[in-house]
């Protein structure tokens, strides 16, 4: 066994190490395509509205199909599901790349392919989230979740830079963007390769749920019976919907408030990614997540976002962004690990799908609202209002949870805090989370 530091201990597991190698390649490719696809739309249309429509079409399937995707993740072997989703994501990327390289691409092609790519991603995400628990032990799961976030954020720093250099080197036209998109299409085969290299005898497959009607309702009912999961999902919803609109809020702050250009705006994204990566690595060292960490990190994030909106200069705004990114990633990784560690194995895919739906599906609601606030009231208010909503909503949800919890404890024997999980033996586990 390979000796690793506590930050990287999950990499000592051969299966996870193989999986992580494929995942980092795919993550870099994904971020490359995000930049290239946006550039392609701008080359074709020069329209910010068209750019927003493409982004919305790619995110919409997460809202529409996540519950069904969770059922698929629980009903079929997750390794097999992931192999199919890699093909399903590679195909539209390769088609779009070929259309762009050959010069026949049209805007409606990008719209359709973005939606199809989003559908494949919606089915990939819950299977990928819950598959981690089949590769590593329960003790290593928080570390593996943190390393997954670190991989994503490291790719976030590498992918856009590589994409920008390639697009510029290839002429900055639609064909240049097409070649970069083709690179992403090929990157999914790294994950396929890693899946074929896993030692299936060392996996810990979760029980496959039985066929039958009402599987989605069963998942929702299960979450409703777990107040700790409800609080986690409420927290994630408000942070993801109204707080984590960094691409838009930083653009407003850089241009409208501080009078800077595209270069300075790009620097802000890299600075925040550094904080996000640090947050993910710190989370990877944590032995197990706690519910109070999810809520506490969300409240700290809200306060820091409000503070960022009050920063007087571009420099002071840039200096606070790493801490905003760190608190956001601490919340996200703690919430992710909480859901995976405390959900019943046969329900894990559906719970992960609901988590992703509330986290990503709120974007079409929150982004236009925060954008309207910034346009009507000024860039600072996009941060002040977003942070304020998160602070109030998460604070009220936590207060309501504690009040209900206190009522429950009045008629139970006085023990350390426990969460009432209807019909399930979750009291001891929930007490550990809340402590």
């Amino acid at each position: 066994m390979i000796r690793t530091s506590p930050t990287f201990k999950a990499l000592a597991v051969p299966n996870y190490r193989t999986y992580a190698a494929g995942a980092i390649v795919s993550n870099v490719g994904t971020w490359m395509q995000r930049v290239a696809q946006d550039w392609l739309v701008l080359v074709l249309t020069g329209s910010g509205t068209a750019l927003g429509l493409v982004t919305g079409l790619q995110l919409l399937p997460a809202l529409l199909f996540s519950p069904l995707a969770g059922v698929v993740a629980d009903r079929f072997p997750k390794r097999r599901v992931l192999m199919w989703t890699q093909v399903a994501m590679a195909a539209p990327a390769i088609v779009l790349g070929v259309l762009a390289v050959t010069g026949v691409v049209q805007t409606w092609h990008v719209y359709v392919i973005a939606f199809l790519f989003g559908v494949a991603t919606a089915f990939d995400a819950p299977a990928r989230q819950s598959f981690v628990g089949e590769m590593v032990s329960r003790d290593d799961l928080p570390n593996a979740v943190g390393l997954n976030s670190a991989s994503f954020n490291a790719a976030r720093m590498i992918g856009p830079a590589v994409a920008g250099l390639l697009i510029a080197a290839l002429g900055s036209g639609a064909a240049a963007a097409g070649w970069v998109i083709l690179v992403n299409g090929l990157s999914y085969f790294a994950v396929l390769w890693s899946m074929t290299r896993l030692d299936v005898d060392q996996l810990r497959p979760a029980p496959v749920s039985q066929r039958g009607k009402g599987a989605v309702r069963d998942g929702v009912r299960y979450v409703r019976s777990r107040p700790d999961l409800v609080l986690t999902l409420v927290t994630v919803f408000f942070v993801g919907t109204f707080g984590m609109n960094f691409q838009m809020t930083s653009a407003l702050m850089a241009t409208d408030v501080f009078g800077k250009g595209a270069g300075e705006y790009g620097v802000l994204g890299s600075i925040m990614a550094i904080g996000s990566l640090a947050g993910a690595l710190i989370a990877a060292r944590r032995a197990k997540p706690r519910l109070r960490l999810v809520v506490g990190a969300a409240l700290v994030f809200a306060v820091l976002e409000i503070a960022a909106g009050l920063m007087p200069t571009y420099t002071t705004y840039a200096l606070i962004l790493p801490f905003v990114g760190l608190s956001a990633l601490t919340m996200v990784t703690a919430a992710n690990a909480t859901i995976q560690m405390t959900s019943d194995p046969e329900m894990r895919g559906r719970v992960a799908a609901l988590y992703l739906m509330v986290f990503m599906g709120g974007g079409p609601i929150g982004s236009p609202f925060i954008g309207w606030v910034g346009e009507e009231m000024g860039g600072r208010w996009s941060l002040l209002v977003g942070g304020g909503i998160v602070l109030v909503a998460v604070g009220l949800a936590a207060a309501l949870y504690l009040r209900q919890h206190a009522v429950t404890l009045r008629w139970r024997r006085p023990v350390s805090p426990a969460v009432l999980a209807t019909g399930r033996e979750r009291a001891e586990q929930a007490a550990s989370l809340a402590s």
Side-chain angles (χ1 to χ4, degrees):
M1 179 176 290
I2 296 176
R3 291 185 178 181
T4 56
S5 73
T7 305
F8 303 99
K9 65 176 182 176
L11 292 176
V13 179
N15 274 344
Y16 180 75
R17 190 165 62 248
T18 301
Y19 166 83
I24 185 64
V25 174
S26 180
N27 285 336
V28 171
T30 297
W31 279 104
M32 290 175 65
Q33 173 157 333
R34 288 190 182 189
V35 172
Q37 182 176 277
D38 288 352
W39 186 262
L40 177 60
V41 172
L42 291 175
V43 169
L44 292 174
T45 68
S47 168
T49 301
L51 187 59
L53 182 57
V54 169
T55 301
L57 286 170
Q58 193 160 314
L59 292 176
L60 182 60
L63 185 61
L64 298 178
F65 300 116
S66 283
L68 177 60
V71 173
V72 171
D74 284 335
R75 185 167 292 171
F76 299 97
K78 296 176 180 60
R79 175 171 168 268
R80 186 187 307 168
V81 172
L82 287 172
M83 294 180 74
W84 280 109
T85 57
Q86 301 315 301
V87 175
M89 289 187 292
I94 291 173
V95 169
L96 181 58
V98 170
L99 289 173
V101 168
T102 56
V104 299
V105 67
Q106 298 180 35
T107 306
W108 71 267
H109 292 151
V110 186
Y111 291 158
V112 172
I113 290 174
F115 182 79
L116 293 176
F117 186 85
V119 172
T121 302
F123 281 87
D124 175 78
R128 178 166 36 84
Q129 295 269 346
S130 51
F131 183 61
V132 177
E134 298 187 3
M135 289 185 288
V136 301
S137 68
R138 181 181 177 81
D139 291 340
D140 287 338
L141 183 56
N143 180 253
V145 170
L147 290 178
N148 284 352
S149 295
S151 171
F152 182 80
N153 282 282
R156 183 182 176 185
M157 291 189 292
I158 298 170
V162 174
L165 290 173
L166 285 176
I167 291 172
L170 295 172
S172 299
W179 284 113
V180 174
I181 293 170
L182 278 175
V183 171
N184 178 52
L186 296 176
S187 74
Y188 293 107
F189 290 96
V191 180
L192 276 173
W193 170 84
S194 70
M195 289 293 162
T196 62
R197 302 291 296 177
L198 296 181
D199 184 350
V200 294
D201 293 333
Q202 297 299 316
L203 296 176
R204 302 172 176 83
V208 177
S209 66
Q210 300 299 314
R211 295 178 180 269
K213 296 181 179 180
V216 173
R217 289 195 301 271
D218 289 343
V220 175
R221 191 179 300 117
Y222 173 78
V223 170
R224 290 180 61 185
S225 74
R226 294 278 306 278
D228 56 326
L229 292 183
V230 172
L231 178 58
T232 299
L233 293 181
V234 168
T235 300
V236 166
F237 170 78
F238 280 101
V239 173
T241 301
F242 298 104
M244 295 179 67
N245 295 290
F246 304 133
Q247 186 172 355
M248 177 174 55
T249 54
S250 286
L252 290 171
M253 290 292 286
T255 57
D256 294 347
V257 177
F258 301 123
K260 303 296 183 179
E264 290 87 350
Y265 163 58
V267 169
L268 293 178
S270 298
I271 290 173
M272 178 167 284
I274 293 171
S276 299
L277 178 59
L281 291 174
I282 292 171
R285 296 180 62 89
R286 196 167 289 113
K288 61 181 178 179
R290 300 184 185 277
L291 184 58
R292 69 178 183 181
L293 177 61
V294 177
V295 175
L299 295 175
V300 170
F301 165 79
V303 171
L304 287 171
E305 184 166 42
I306 293 171
L310 298 173
M311 289 296 104
T313 66
Y314 174 85
T315 300
T316 56
Y317 177 74
L319 289 174
I320 201 173
L321 284 185
F323 300 99
V324 176
L326 189 151
S327 60
L329 258 291
T330 297
M331 188 283 299
V332 170
T333 53
N336 193 336
T338 295
I339 281 175
Q340 294 197 48
M341 290 188 69
T342 65
S343 299
D344 288 343
E346 65 272 18
M347 288 286 184
R348 191 173 291 150
R350 276 165 282 185
V351 177
L354 289 172
Y355 162 81
L356 291 165
M357 184 178 71
V358 301
F359 185 44
M360 300 174 63
I365 301 171
S367 294
F369 172 72
I370 296 299
W372 174 82
V373 169
E375 183 176 347
E376 294 295 322
M377 304 172 64
R380 292 188 184 278
W381 285 99
S382 64
L383 290 165
L384 298 177
V385 172
I389 291 175
V390 173
L391 186 64
V392 172
V394 175
L396 287 176
L400 181 61
Y401 172 86
L402 291 173
R403 180 184 177 189
Q404 292 177 338
H405 180 68
V407 171
T408 299
L409 289 182
R410 287 193 185 114
W411 57 272
R412 294 177 70 91
R413 63 189 179 89
V415 294
S416 58
V419 177
L420 180 61
T422 306
R424 300 183 185 277
E425 298 176 358
R426 291 291 176 189
E428 181 179 352
Q429 196 173 62
S432 175
L433 273 173
S435 63

